Amino acid sequence: MNRPKLKMLQPRIKMIEDTRIKMAPPLRLSKRTGRDADPRRTLPLNGAAWQRLRASVLAGEPLCRACAQRGQVEPATDVDHVSGDPSDNSTDNLCPLCHSCHSIKTAMDQGKRVSLGCGLDGWPIDLRHPWNAKTPLLLRPDPRRGDEPEITSG
């Protein structure tokens, strides 16, 4: 029994001449932001070395240093670089602070206006507040005019 051979049909679809596959653009790494964007930072904040250093600072001084200076007792939760240089991780440059004090100090370091409020005696806590100045505000030189105020007696 001889079967007749089937004839192969010709394709009806024309092949595309450009057979290159278009590739998706390469993925871009996201830019580092916030604290990790500082190129001076030598230890990544989520790294084991920083976590050990942070834990040793908090174990050595478990209370917020800024609150302790004001006579308050608050547990320290954050470790701050006193000089503002994140590459200096010496123990003299690391200060334990509560989250509130650390946020205030960071905002002040970035040049933002910060209100610290008043103490129990009603006086402003911020030593740079005009009420805490040694020279009264009316007797200070006016920086807009660049002159010294005249103090007259009498």
Side-chain angles (χ1 to χ4, degrees):
M1 280 206 263
N2 284 339
R3 291 187 186 180
K5 290 186 177 180
L6 295 176
K7 289 185 179 179
M8 188 170 165
L9 298 175
Q10 295 296 324
R12 295 182 188 170
I13 300 174
K14 290 183 180 179
M15 295 300 289
I16 301 173
E17 284 94 28
D18 188 23
T19 58
R20 291 180 293 180
I21 298 173
K22 293 185 180 178
M23 301 293 287
L27 296 176
R28 283 186 265 155
L29 296 175
S30 62
K31 292 183 180 178
R32 296 188 316 169
T33 59
R35 301 174 298 179
D36 294 328
D38 194 343
R40 300 175 299 165
R41 188 169 297 284
T42 56
L43 295 176
L45 294 178
N46 59 353
W50 171 253
Q51 294 298 325
R52 282 192 305 270
L53 182 61
R54 177 184 178 278
S56 69
V57 170
L58 293 176
E61 193 174 347
L63 297 178
C64 173
R65 193 178 291 175
C67 289
Q69 288 175 350
R70 291 193 306 268
Q72 298 174 338
V73 177
E74 188 70 30
T77 57
D78 299 350
V79 175
D80 180 61
H81 290 88
V82 176
S83 68
D85 181 12
S87 66
D88 183 9
N89 291 315
S90 64
T91 54
D92 295 336
N93 189 41
L94 298 176
C95 173
L97 296 174
C98 66
H99 185 70
S100 176
C101 290
H102 186 259
S103 296
I104 290 170
K105 184 198 177 282
T106 302
M108 289 169 62
D109 288 348
Q110 293 174 350
K112 296 178 182 174
R113 293 183 65 184
V114 176
S115 174
L116 299 179
C118 297
L120 296 176
D121 58 357
W123 283 88
I125 295 172
D126 188 5
L127 297 176
R128 296 172 299 161
H129 191 276
W131 289 6
N132 291 327
K134 293 179 182 176
T135 307
L137 185 61
L138 296 175
L139 299 179
R140 288 192 216 157
D142 188 356
R144 293 173 289 173
R145 293 186 292 174
D147 62 349
E148 294 288 327
E150 292 184 20
I151 302 174
T152 57
S153 59

